[in-house]
Amino acid sequence: MTALDAHHVGLTVGDLEQTLPFYRDVLDLEVLDRFSVEGEAFADAVGVDDAGADFVHLDANGVRLELVEYDPETDPRPAPELNEPGATHVGLAVDDLEAFYADLPEDVPTISEPRTTASGTSIWFLRDPEGNLVEVLET
């Protein structure tokens, strides 16, 4: 079998213009690329009739995070709980979790303050403007 290399982690959003500033400005991820894709080949590849999409690729210190807004979009789903099958989250690491937490704007919704788990890892979860979960952990 051919070896696989990771290329990106994708997150589908309902409003790219609303969500992008959170990842770019609040989390300080660099925009690598911005583009749109449409046409029959794309629609067939993603299995969505007449699909087109706008994409933004961001650099999370060597991991490419892809935000994508589809047309047509479906009804928004409720923000998932982490223990539900199919739930997703983006995990980002920082050197100093407490300092990062202290610098975050007050209007960013968080699940809790930073906590150190039984494994010794310090973690903290927040939500982006669309309710997607973001885990920040200390390395």
Side-chain angles (χ1 to χ4, degrees):
M1 176 178 261
T2 302
L4 295 172
D5 289 324
H7 182 267
H8 69 270
V9 175
L11 185 61
T12 300
V13 299
D15 187 335
L16 191 57
E17 295 309 315
Q18 173 188 331
T19 308
L20 175 58
F22 173 80
Y23 289 93
R24 182 192 60 216
D25 303 335
V26 175
L27 299 183
D28 201 28
L29 302 183
E30 176 187 356
V31 173
L32 297 173
D33 199 5
R34 188 171 188 150
F35 58 95
S36 296
V37 180
E38 58 186 23
E40 186 177 337
F42 178 72
D44 288 347
V46 299
V48 177
D49 291 341
D50 301 318
D54 294 318
F55 295 82
V56 173
H57 285 188
L58 299 141
D59 180 22
N61 198 24
V63 174
R64 185 179 292 243
L65 175 61
E66 176 183 87
L67 302 179
V68 58
E69 178 185 343
Y70 278 89
D71 179 28
E73 70 177 74
T74 60
D75 293 330
R77 64 183 171 114
E81 297 299 322
L82 276 172
N83 61 334
E84 293 178 9
T88 60
H89 71 278
V90 174
L92 302 171
V94 296
D95 292 331
D96 186 338
L97 186 62
E98 291 290 338
F100 188 84
Y101 177 77
D103 290 343
L104 195 72
E106 290 182 21
D107 62 343
V108 173
T110 63
I111 292 178
S112 72
E113 294 179 359
R115 300 284 189 244
T116 301
T117 67
S119 69
T121 303
S122 294
I123 64 171
W124 162 59
F125 280 86
L126 58 144
R127 293 193 183 271
D128 75 10
E130 294 196 354
N132 297 302
L133 289 163
V134 177
E135 175 185 8
V136 183
L137 60 122
E138 187 170 306
T139 56

